[in-house]
Amino acid sequence: ALIDLVRGTIGHTGFEPTMLELEITESVLMQDDSTTRNNIKALKELGVRFAIDDFGTGYSSLSYLKHLPVNSLKIDQSFVRDVTNDSDDASIVSAIIAMARSLNLSVIAEGVETKAQLNFLRQCGCDIWQGFLFVQPIPPHQMNFYQSYSSEP
């Protein structure tokens, strides 16, 4: 059903599949679920990209990074929050970015609220930043491009 919905939406909108990145939490990836794995594989074959959300907060093995078709790691805001005044958080964020780079993955930092956090992340080579520093959350009805699509073209 998910694959049909994504395929139908892409077909209906003409949206380029490589521009779509779906987020999967680290905890979902760690469940040895063949349905999830098969869905990821099928969507990846369509060209859809995947990001691991809340990276570093689960009890995972890093070996799945080698075997799953992910494109990005999202650093959880719990690490970003104190990155400028907690050396442990700074070390963790730096290590995640360095590891992602060595695996040819892009890195997204969540919860960026200050220029100091942004500067630290830039210096470490983080690719994308999300947070209140850039924009407050917007309800869907206020977004001018928001529209609901069914899986039927």
Side-chain angles (χ1 to χ4, degrees), residues 25-30 52-62 64 74 76 78-79 96:
T25 61
E26 188 176 27
S27 58
V28 167
L29 283 176
M30 291 316 300
I52 300 175
D53 195 19
D54 301 333
F55 185 78
T57 61
Y59 301 100
S60 63
S61 164
L62 295 176
Y64 68 85
K74 291 188 75 175
D76 189 72
S78 63
F79 299 118
I96 290 171

Side-chain angles (χ1 to χ4, degrees), residues 18-60:
T18 57
M19 299 300 293
L20 175 62
E21 185 166 87
L22 300 177
E23 298 178 6
I24 303 169
T25 61
E26 188 176 27
S27 58
V28 167
L29 283 176
M30 291 316 300
Q31 298 169 3
D32 193 20
D33 181 4
S34 62
T35 302
T36 300
R37 210 173 314 112
N38 290 339
N39 282 342
I40 291 170
K41 183 179 178 192
L43 290 168
K44 188 74 173 173
E45 288 172 359
L46 289 176
V48 174
R49 298 172 47 87
F50 284 91
I52 300 175
D53 195 19
D54 301 333
F55 185 78
T57 61
Y59 301 100
S60 63

Side-chain angles (χ1 to χ4, degrees), residues 29 38 65 78 85 94 106 116 138 146:
L29 283 176
N38 290 339
L65 290 177
S78 63
N85 57 24
S94 297
S106 63
I138 301 170
Y146 178 79

Side-chain angles (χ1 to χ4, degrees), residues 84-140:
T84 58
N85 57 24
D86 183 319
S87 61
D88 290 339
D89 283 343
S91 295
I92 289 169
V93 168
S94 297
I96 290 171
I97 293 170
M99 179 185 60
R101 287 275 163 260
S102 69
L103 295 170
N104 296 315
L105 301 174
S106 63
V107 183
I108 305 160
E110 297 178 309
V112 179
E113 297 180 356
T114 69
K115 289 208 179 244
Q117 292 167 334
L118 176 61
N119 290 338
F120 177 87
L121 293 163
R122 279 183 171 151
Q123 289 173 353
C124 290
C126 186
D127 299 299
I128 300 171
W129 316 279
Q130 295 176 335
F132 292 162
L133 180 63
F134 309 104
V135 68
Q136 298 290 316
I138 301 170

